[in-house]
């Protein structure tokens, strides 16, 4: 059988490439003669650089040191593509995991993301592809624009090939489905303070009357989506855009099994995250294929998937300790691959 394995990263525990390889290894233990293709995915968050680097021969990582979300220096990189564009990942410059165990709702900043963008432009980038998932802040993207000249000499011009922003979030900037209300709690904003953060974001939005804060995705990354719209960038669905760059539709042609996954499959997964995008592409390009899911934890209906494996459940069954799935996810991803192969 032809098997395509296209998961997202298990954020904070394993990269998409590691998960794909582990699931593939497990599958081949049970079915060593199958043709297994690995296609690690991303949605604009953690792993976006990895996905583009794997897809583009000649892509080069360029090191850069920026201001991290806590204000201290972070050594990271951006990616120069063969066509002259640059890929910059917010998770690698201003991401929530960079804070460690301490959330900083009032002071976490997206400045480093803006600094990395500026560095790419200074190095001659002819266009930008920006992944904005996984942010630590709720600052509306103001520090990003400041790094690009706002409140100073004036905002830098867009590069000739434009700026495409990859996000899996469709939230507006403000209101009950906005940046502060939906994503603020995971960044340390308590329920009683959401209104005050929303008010700050509203004041910021008022400085750009031509930009509609209700635009889907304006609330992504704590409002960085809005800030980039104010610069003139274009928002795109992250996983869908990356799938096209990776050539995933062609890889799926003729597949007998398609395996996807993410760290936690829940109610937010339907909003354009990797498993849903891969499922949709599988249905279109491999209509007879079995679609399978591997996730660290599963907390949503699985009606559309032929089989699924939760690492938490596997850990419980094999060790009696669900937390083992977090401490050793690749071991259990391998077990998951074996289990799914037995179901094929």
């Amino acid at each position: 059988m032809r098997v395509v394995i296209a998961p997202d990263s298990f954020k904070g525990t394993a990269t998409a490439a590691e998960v794909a390889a582990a699931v593939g290894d497990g599958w081949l233990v049970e079915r060593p003669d199958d043709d297994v293709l690995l296609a690690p995915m991303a949605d604009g968050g953690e792993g976006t650089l990895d996905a583009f680097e794997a897809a583009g021969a000649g892509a080069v990582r360029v090191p850069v040191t920026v201001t991290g979300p806590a204000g201290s220096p972070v050594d990271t990189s951006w990616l120069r593509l063969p066509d002259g564009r640059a890929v910059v990942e917010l998770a690698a410059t201003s991401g929530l995991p960079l804070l460690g165990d301490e959330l900083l709702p009032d002071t976490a900043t997206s400045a480093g993301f803006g600094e990395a963008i500026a560095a790419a432009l200074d190095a001659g980038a002819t266009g930008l592809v920006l992944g904005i998932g996984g942010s630590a802040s709720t600052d509306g993207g103001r520090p990003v624009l400041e790094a690009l000249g706002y409140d100073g000499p004036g905002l830098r011009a867009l590069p000739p090939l434009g700026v495409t922003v990859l996000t899996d979030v469709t939230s507006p900037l403000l209101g009950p489905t906005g940046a502060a209300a939906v994503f603020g709690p995971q960044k340390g904003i308590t329920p009683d303070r959401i209104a005050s953060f929303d008010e700050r974001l509203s004041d910021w939005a008022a400085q750009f009357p031509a930009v509609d804060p209700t635009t889907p995705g304006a609330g992504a990354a704590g409002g960085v989506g809005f800030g980039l719209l104010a610069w003139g960038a274009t928002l795109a669905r992250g996983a869908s855009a990356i799938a096209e760059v990776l050539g995933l539709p062609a890889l799926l042609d003729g597949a007998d099994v398609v395996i996807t996954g993410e760290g936690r499959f829940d109610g937010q997964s339907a909003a354009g995250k990797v498993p849903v995008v891969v499922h949709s592409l599988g249905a279109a390009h491999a209509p007879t294929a079995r679609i399978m899911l591997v996730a660290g934890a599963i907390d949503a209906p699985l009606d559309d998937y032929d089989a699924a494996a939760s690492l938490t459940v596997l850990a419980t069954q094999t060790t009696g300790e669900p937390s083992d799935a977090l401490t050793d996810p690749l071991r259990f991803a391998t077990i998951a691959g074996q289990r799914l192969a037995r179901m094929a």
Side-chain angles (χ1 to χ4, degrees):
M1 291 198 301
R2 178 182 173 88
V3 182
V4 179
I5 305 176
D8 197 354
S9 64
F10 284 22
K11 294 179 174 54
T13 59
T15 68
E18 290 171 337
V19 174
V23 173
D25 287 345
W27 185 280
L28 289 171
V29 167
E30 297 292 326
R31 300 181 58 91
D33 295 328
D34 284 352
D35 179 19
V36 174
L37 301 177
L38 307 183
M41 277 283 292
D43 57 15
E46 180 183 352
T48 297
L49 283 189
D50 294 336
F52 274 92
E53 186 175 29
V60 177
R61 283 188 182 253
V62 181
V64 64
T65 300
V66 300
T67 303
S72 54
V74 169
D75 294 326
T76 184
S77 60
W78 53 274
L79 189 70
R80 190 195 307 275
L81 297 180
D83 65 2
R85 292 180 300 162
V87 183
V88 187
E89 180 184 303
L90 185 147
T93 60
S94 310
L96 191 61
L98 295 175
L99 292 180
D101 295 330
E102 183 182 13
L103 300 177
L104 301 172
D106 294 291
T107 58
T109 178
S110 59
F113 184 51
E115 292 166 6
I117 293 170
L121 293 173
D122 289 342
T126 56
L128 293 168
V129 179
L130 307 178
I132 63 171
S135 73
S137 62
T138 311
D139 58 22
R142 178 167 188 146
V144 175
L145 294 194
E146 288 174 344
L148 295 171
Y150 183 78
D151 281 347
L155 274 171
R156 299 179 70 144
L158 297 179
L161 298 181
V163 179
T164 300
V165 181
L166 306 178
T167 177
D168 64 345
V169 171
T170 58
S171 297
L173 181 65
L174 308 170
T177 59
V182 175
F183 302 105
Q186 69 188 33
K187 302 172 186 180
I189 301 177
T190 55
D192 60 304
R193 301 189 65 208
I194 288 174
S196 64
F197 275 83
D198 217 40
E199 184 175 352
R200 292 179 209 172
L201 292 172
S202 179
D203 290 343
W204 168 236
Q207 299 188 42
F208 299 94
V211 182
D212 185 356
T214 69
T215 302
V224 169
F226 176 84
L228 293 172
L229 284 171
W231 188 30
T234 300
L235 302 186
R237 297 300 290 272
S240 298
I242 290 175
E244 291 298 325
V245 172
L246 296 178
L248 185 59
L251 288 179
L252 292 172
D253 287 338
D256 300 293
V257 175
V258 178
I259 303 175
T260 186
E262 63 180 339
R264 184 177 186 84
F265 184 81
D266 57 22
Q268 293 188 23
S269 298
K273 290 185 179 289
V274 165
V276 172
V277 169
V278 173
H279 184 285
S280 177
L281 289 173
H285 292 269
T288 62
R290 298 191 66 183
I291 310 294
M292 296 179 168
L293 175 76
V294 176
I298 296 174
D299 187 25
L302 295 169
D303 298 340
D304 293 333
Y305 295 86
D306 293 306
S310 165
L311 304 197
T312 301
V313 171
L314 291 176
T316 302
Q317 292 175 346
T318 58
T319 69
E321 295 291 339
S323 61
D324 287 354
L326 291 175
T327 57
D328 196 3
L330 297 181
R331 174 192 169 207
F332 290 101
T334 302
I335 296 172
Q338 290 179 262
R339 170 170 288 192
L340 293 178
R342 294 188 201 115
M343 298 177 183

